[in-house]
Amino acid sequence: WLKLPGGRALPRTQQEVHRASAGCQPKMGKKPAGKKDGAKQERSQWEGKHPEPKSRVDERKVVATVKLAAPVCSLLEFKLECTPSTKISFLVDRIIDRHGGSISDLSVCVNRFHPEEIVGRDKTLEQCGVFGGECIIYYDFVPRAGALLQ
């Protein structure tokens, strides 16, 4: 048989042409001596065993006390239960909700309010050094012009 690209083969001799037209395959060589078909192969100790899946739920708890930086106003203070993997953007959205959507351009700091320590919305509490327990989220904002401010 003459091997062609793509795995095809053509017969070389008249006898091979006859076998191909009769649906016969050329004889293959003898099987190598040694292993028998019924012999078992060695199985891995890990075959069929799977590792325990990692939980995607963060079990750690954080109680964040959210406060307006200035002026100090206990009426605008509230607590949020969350996890260290909570993003600052989630906290910003909750703060805006508490203000009825009337605020924007929030500046947020974790555990201390200072202009040099304003954190980005894409960071998590964990990236801000909060791994569990309690923390304080300070925020400041620019009020939006609305019916009450005109």
Side-chain angles (χ1 to χ4, degrees):
W1 289 78
L2 180 64
K3 298 280 185 181
L4 296 175
R8 293 182 39 206
L10 292 176
R12 277 193 241 175
T13 64
Q14 189 64 30
Q15 186 179 11
E16 289 172 341
V17 170
H18 174 70
R19 284 186 187 152
S21 65
C24 300
Q25 293 293 326
K27 290 186 177 180
M28 303 301 277
K30 289 185 176 180
K31 290 185 180 178
K35 289 188 177 180
K36 292 184 179 180
D37 288 337
K40 286 188 177 180
Q41 290 184 346
E42 211 175 293
R43 296 180 76 176
S44 167
Q45 64 177 349
W46 304 111
E47 189 175 325
K49 296 180 182 175
H50 299 285
E52 287 296 318
K54 291 183 180 179
S55 175
R56 290 185 172 191
V57 177
D58 195 347
E59 300 293 331
R60 302 170 295 172
K61 298 292 177 202
V62 173
V63 177
T65 303
V66 182
K67 297 182 176 189
L68 179 63
V72 175
C73 179
S74 61
L75 295 174
L76 296 176
E77 186 177 312
F78 63 98
K79 292 186 184 290
L80 271 175
E81 289 188 19
C82 51
T83 64
S85 58
T86 300
K87 289 198 175 248
I88 298 299
S89 62
F90 175 81
L91 299 172
V92 168
D93 291 342
R94 298 295 75 77
I95 294 167
I96 292 171
D97 289 346
R98 286 290 284 230
H99 284 265
S102 65
I103 61 173
S104 64
D105 302 327
L106 266 71
S107 300
V108 177
C109 293
V110 179
N111 287 328
R112 177 182 160 202
F113 190 81
H114 192 275
E116 293 178 4
E117 296 184 17
I118 294 172
V119 295
R121 288 175 167 235
D122 59 327
K123 286 196 172 185
T124 63
L125 288 174
E126 191 169 19
Q127 291 170 327
C128 297
V130 178
F131 300 97
E134 296 183 1
C135 71
I136 300 174
I137 306 295
Y138 291 101
Y139 70 97
D140 200 4
F141 63 91
V142 175
R144 284 189 186 161
L148 294 176
L149 298 177
Q150 291 178 349

